[in-house]
Amino acid sequence: MFAVIETGGKQYKVIEQDIIFVEKLDVNEGDEIVFDSVKALSNDNGFKVGAPNVDGAKVTAKVLKNGKNKKIYVMKYKPKKNEKKKIGHRQPFTKVQIVKIEG
């Protein structure tokens, strides 16, 4: 059994007990979150594709951690102008574990 969910503008294929990193969500560690935007669902009854979402399907997940990824560096450079700029960025994430897939 698997499902395709959408969160943070991205789609993820998940099965039960999966641990995934999604775009930062406004939830605390230890909370449960329900993803209602299920795009596709495969179970014993067959495969269902939503238009745009599968009716009555939801995925429950437990929030394990909120954090930031490693820092990446971006260099901006303009030739012949003596201009360069080093910029760092750390993308925030939420680590969740899929508990149950219903549908």
Side-chain angles (χ1 to χ4, degrees), residues 33-51:
I33 186 166
V34 176
F35 298 107
D36 293 330
S37 180
V38 178
K39 302 297 180 187
L41 180 69
S42 174
N43 55 16
D44 299 337
N45 299 334
F47 185 76
K48 296 180 196 171
V49 177

Side-chain angles (χ1 to χ4, degrees), residues 5-68:
I5 62 171
E6 181 181 17
T7 179
K10 299 181 177 88
Q11 295 180 358
Y12 301 91
K13 179 183 174 188
V14 296
I15 59 174
E16 289 185 5
Q17 303 305 316
D18 258 359
I19 295 176
I20 60 172
F21 293 86
V22 299
E23 294 294 320
K24 182 158 174 47
L25 302 171
D26 190 23
V27 291
N28 295 324
E29 294 181 17
D31 291 350
E32 286 205 347
I33 186 166
V34 176
F35 298 107
D36 293 330
S37 180
V38 178
K39 302 297 180 187
L41 180 69
S42 174
N43 55 16
D44 299 337
N45 299 334
F47 185 76
K48 296 180 196 171
V49 177
N53 298 329
V54 178
D55 293 332
K58 62 182 179 178
V59 175
T60 307
K62 181 180 177 186
V63 177
L64 300 177
K65 180 181 177 184
N66 287 317
K68 290 184 178 181

